[in-house]
Amino acid sequence: MALSATSQGSHTTPSPSGQYLASISPGSNTLRLHATHVPDRYTDVSLRISSKDVTGLQWNHESDRIVVVSARLIEIVDLEDADHRIRLDNGSGGFGKFANAEFVGRELLLVVWEFGKVKLWNLESGKGADLCDVKGSCDGARWQLRPGRQAQTGTLAMLSKVNAEDVLNLYLPAAQKLVGAVRLPTLDAQSIQWSPDGRWISVLDVGTAVQGVHFLTPDGNLYRSYPAAKESEALGLGIKSIVWAQNSQALALTRYDGTIVLLNTRTFAPKAVIEHTTTIDQRATTSPEEQAPIWEEIVSVSGGNSHASVAQPFSPPLSRTKPATEPAELGVAEAQFSCDGSWLATRDERMLNTVWIWNMATLNAHSVLVQHNNARKLHWHPTRPDELMLDCGDGTAYFFSTTSANPPMPIGISTNTTLSYLPTPATSKTVILATAKSTFRMLYPDGQPEEPDFPAQSGATREAASVDESFEDGASEDSLLDLLSGRKPLPVKTEQSYTERVDLEVETEEEDTTARMDDTFREKRSRQPPNTGMEDEVEHDPFDDSEIF
C-alpha cells in the first residue's frame, strides 16, 4: 500500500482514462494537470478565469481536452496543442450565467445557461446552433448522449418543457439536427437515462405519478411503462431512482417504501422484489450455512476499530440525518451494481450505517455490513466485480470482498475527504482519489503503479520532467500529455508567455487584441469544411451575444 503526499487543488477531476488529474490551483488563475502514477509530476496552464470564479471542470472522452467553466467565461484547453486555446464569452449575460458545459464528442461543446438556454458549439468551425430549452426542474440528468456511439452517429436525448408538457428531444449532434420530438406521458419528468448498451431510453417521472418509469426505443417510441396501469397503486409514493447494471443485463428500480424492484431488461416485467427489514432474521427460511453473515464495526475507547460477526436475529441501529422538526427521508438511499452486474449493494434511509449486498444469481442477501458511522457512498471497483469500497466520511476506506470470508478491511487516509476509484484499466493497479475542498491525495492499495513504458531518458531529463514549471499557450510545441507522462521534459520558462503578453496588451488596447486573437482562430477555422447544420435554420436571438474565439 502507498499513499501520496497531499496536493493543493480544488475541483479535482480525473480524466476518463484515469491517467491524469485536473484541478484549479488555489489563489491563482492556473489549471494544474497531474499524472496519477506520479502525482508530484505536474504542469500548470494559465487561464483567463480566476480560481475563485471556476464552477467546474469537464474532460472529453478522449482525455485530451478540458473545459473550465465560470459564470461569464468558458475556456477549453487542448492538451495536444496548448497553442490552440478556445474561449467562449457570455457577453452581457442575457440568458443568465453559464450553468454547465459538456463535451459531445471531441469537436462539439454543449453549453447550458442557468435559465435553460442551450447551445451546441462546433469548436472547429466556431459556429453555434440553438437547441430547445432544457427542462429546469429536474432532480437528475436532463440530457445524455447515447452510450457506445461516436458523436458523429450518436443521439443526444434531452428533456424539455413545452406548454406544461414534458418533451423528449432527439438530436444528431454532428449535424446539429433535431430528428425527433416526442411528448412524454409524464406528470413531471425528473431524469433521463440511456441503458449502457444504448438500446433503451428510460425516463423517471415524479414520485407521485401512477406510472413512475417509461422505457422508449432509441427513436423515441414508447415501449412500456412501469408499473402497468392496472398494477399501479392508487396512493403512496412510487419509484425513486433507476439503476442500470453496466452490462445492461440487470435493472433495479428503488422505491420510496424501501423496496427495490428488479426488472427483466427485455420485457421490463418485474422478476423480484428486494426488501430492507429493520430486523434481519433468516432462520426460518435459510439453513445456518446459507445465512448472510453480518459484520458490525466496533470502535474502542482508544479509537481503534475492528469488525465482529453478529448472530441472527439482528436489528441494525436506526439513523437520523435531519433534525426531528424536518420531514424524514424515505425509501432507498442508494443502490449500486458491481461492474459485471453480479452483485447489488444497497442502503436504506432508515439505516444509513447498514449496507446490504445481494447476489443477483440467487436473489438472496449475501452479507450485511453495519458501520459505526453512516455510510456516505458505495463504490464498486471499476474492473473487479467482487471488491466494494465504503466511504463513511471518517477518512477511512473500508474494502470488502464478496468472495472472501473476511470482514471489511479499513485503510485510513485523511479526515474530511471524499473517496472514489479512478477508472483505471483491468491490468493496472488500483488508484483511489481522496478529495477535500482544496486538497487531494491518492491511495494505492496494491502499491504505486509503475510508470508507462516509454523510451529511456537520461537522468537529467527524467528529473527535469518532474520540475514545477508553468506551461502556457504559446510557450512550447510539446504536447502536455507528453510532458505529464514523462516522455518529454517540462520546458524551462525563459520569457513572457503568449498569454501574459496578450493580457498585458488587453489593459491598453483591448479591442485590437481581441481582433488579433479572433483572426488567429479564423485562420484555424478556414481549413475546416463549412458547417451546414441547424444554425443556418435558426433565427438569431437578440438576447444572445455570446461569442467564441
Side-chain angles (χ1 to χ4, degrees):
M1 186 192 77
L3 188 64
S4 72
T6 300
S7 301
Q8 300 294 319
S10 59
H11 300 282
T12 305
T13 307
S15 65
S17 66
Q19 295 180 332
Y20 312 107
L21 287 175
S23 66
I24 299 298
S25 183
S28 63
N29 302 1
T30 303
L31 173 70
R32 179 161 292 179
L33 304 172
H34 292 257
T36 55
H37 63 283
V38 186
D40 293 337
R41 175 181 297 154
Y42 61 83
T43 183
D44 289 343
V45 180
S46 293
L47 301 171
R48 291 283 186 87
I49 304 173
S50 174
S51 60
K52 63 182 178 61
D53 296 330
V54 174
T55 58
L57 302 178
Q58 175 77 37
W59 290 81
N60 68 342
H61 179 72
E62 294 79 10
S63 299
D64 60 4
R65 278 184 172 180
I66 305 171
V67 57
V68 185
V69 183
S70 68
R72 295 187 56 84
L73 182 66
I74 292 175
E75 193 160 358
I76 299 170
V77 178
D78 192 329
L79 275 66
E80 290 286 7
D81 182 7
D83 290 336
H84 186 196
R85 189 68 59 85
I86 304 173
R87 298 181 178 93
L88 175 61
D89 190 274
N90 196 19
S92 60
F95 299 113
K97 303 175 183 177
F98 284 135
N100 195 9
E102 184 173 331
F103 285 104
V104 181
R106 191 175 189 277
E107 308 301 343
L108 300 173
L109 187 71
L110 185 73
V111 178
V112 181
W113 280 260
E114 63 176 329
F115 300 129
K117 170 72 175 180
V118 180
K119 202 164 188 176
L120 189 63
W121 290 93
N122 188 308
L123 302 180
E124 290 298 324
S125 66
K127 295 183 179 180
D130 291 325
L131 307 187
C132 296
D133 288 1
V134 69
K135 184 176 180 180
S137 57
C138 293
D139 293 335
R142 299 174 291 172
W143 68 85
Q144 192 178 55
L145 185 67
R146 187 178 185 182
R149 305 294 194 277
Q150 298 295 325
Q152 287 74 14
T153 58
T155 303
L156 177 68
M158 179 182 298
L159 286 175
S160 296
K161 195 81 170 180
V162 180
N163 297 328
E165 291 185 304
D166 292 321
V167 177
L168 173 66
N169 297 301
L170 300 174
Y171 294 94
L172 291 179
Q176 297 178 329
K177 180 180 180 181
L178 177 68
V179 294
V182 181
R183 295 189 182 276
L184 297 172
T186 53
L187 294 180
D188 187 10
Q190 295 300 298
S191 67
I192 186 174
Q193 188 176 4
W194 284 92
S195 61
D197 60 6
R199 296 181 60 187
W200 303 101
I201 305 173
S202 55
V203 179
L204 177 66
D205 205 349
V206 68
T208 55
V210 174
Q211 294 179 304
V213 180
H214 304 277
F215 299 97
L216 298 90
T217 59
D219 57 357
N221 290 316
L222 179 64
Y223 175 72
R224 186 153 297 175
S225 300
Y226 180 85
K230 61 182 180 180
E231 301 171 354
S232 302
E233 299 179 2
L235 298 174
L237 295 175
I239 308 301
K240 187 175 183 180
S241 67
I242 307 172
V243 184
W244 286 89
Q246 292 184 22
N247 58 7
S248 300
Q249 299 302 308
L251 173 62
L253 304 180
T254 69
R255 294 177 57 90
Y256 285 96
D257 61 3
T259 61
I260 299 174
V261 181
L262 302 178
L263 298 185
N264 183 297
T265 56
R266 291 183 178 272
T267 63
F268 300 105
K271 63 178 183 179
V273 177
I274 294 175
E275 184 176 359
H276 299 110
T277 59
T278 55
T279 300
I280 303 172
D281 190 357
Q282 297 176 302
R283 293 176 299 173
T285 59
T286 309
S287 62
E289 296 79 14
E290 296 177 345
Q291 291 179 10
I294 303 174
W295 296 102
E296 184 179 18
E297 183 182 16
I298 307 299
V299 178
S300 64
V301 177
S302 61
N305 60 342
S306 61
H307 286 79
S309 179
V310 181
Q312 297 187 23
F314 177 77
S315 297
L318 300 180
S319 58
R320 179 70 179 172
T321 58
K322 290 186 176 182
T325 56
E326 297 183 15
E329 297 288 352
L330 300 174
V332 179
E334 184 179 9
Q336 297 289 341
F337 281 105
S338 61
C339 62
D340 65 349
S342 58
W343 305 97
L344 176 65
T346 64
R347 293 187 297 127
D348 190 280
E349 290 285 2
R350 299 167 297 174
M351 301 161 281
L352 290 175
N353 63 335
T354 303
V355 178
W356 277 263
I357 300 175
W358 309 88
N359 188 328
M360 290 294 97
T362 63
L363 298 180
N364 291 325
H366 173 271
S367 51
V368 181
L369 313 178
V370 182
Q371 296 298 113
H372 179 72
N373 296 320
N374 290 345
R376 183 168 61 181
K377 188 67 178 177
L378 308 177
H379 299 279
W380 288 100
H381 193 282
T383 57
R384 300 174 188 171
D386 62 328
E387 182 178 310
L388 175 68
M389 179 179 66
L390 277 61
D391 179 5
C392 297
D394 55 1
T396 302
Y398 297 86
F399 296 93
F400 179 74
S401 175
T402 58
T403 58
S404 172
N406 298 324
M409 180 183 66
I411 297 180
I413 302 179
S414 57
T415 58
N416 300 323
T417 57
T418 300
L419 309 178
S420 61
Y421 282 109
L422 290 190
T424 51
T427 56
S428 301
K429 294 181 178 180
T430 299
V431 181
I432 293 171
L433 176 64
T435 59
K437 185 176 181 180
S438 59
T439 61
F440 68 91
R441 63 193 314 185
M442 279 168 278
L443 171 68
Y444 309 100
D446 307 323
Q448 190 161 351
E450 298 178 357
E451 288 196 52
D453 187 16
F454 298 126
Q457 296 176 335
S458 65
T461 301
R462 187 172 294 276
E463 181 180 359
S466 62
V467 176
D468 173 22
E469 294 288 351
S470 178
F471 189 93
E472 306 187 22
D473 50 342
S476 172
E477 297 179 355
D478 291 335
S479 163
L480 294 181
L481 298 179
D482 290 341
L483 299 174
L484 289 176
S485 63
R487 288 177 289 193
K488 295 182 180 180
L490 291 172
V492 178
K493 184 179 178 183
T494 58
E495 60 181 8
Q496 281 186 322
S497 69
Y498 175 78
T499 302
E500 289 175 330
R501 295 196 301 271
V502 169
D503 287 342
L504 183 62
E505 293 171 357
V506 166
E507 297 178 1
T508 56
E509 41 183 341
E510 181 177 356
E511 295 181 359
D512 293 341
T513 304
T514 303
R516 282 197 297 273
M517 292 179 64
D518 197 33
D519 290 343
T520 302
F521 187 71
R522 284 200 193 97
E523 291 176 5
K524 287 182 174 285
R525 296 182 201 165
S526 62
R527 296 190 296 268
Q528 305 300 325
N531 190 308
T532 58
M534 195 178 67
E535 70 278 359
D536 296 330
E537 305 173 5
V538 178
E539 183 179 353
H540 178 70
D541 195 315
F543 292 101
D544 183 12
D545 58 351
S546 58
E547 180 184 8
I548 192 168
F549 57 91

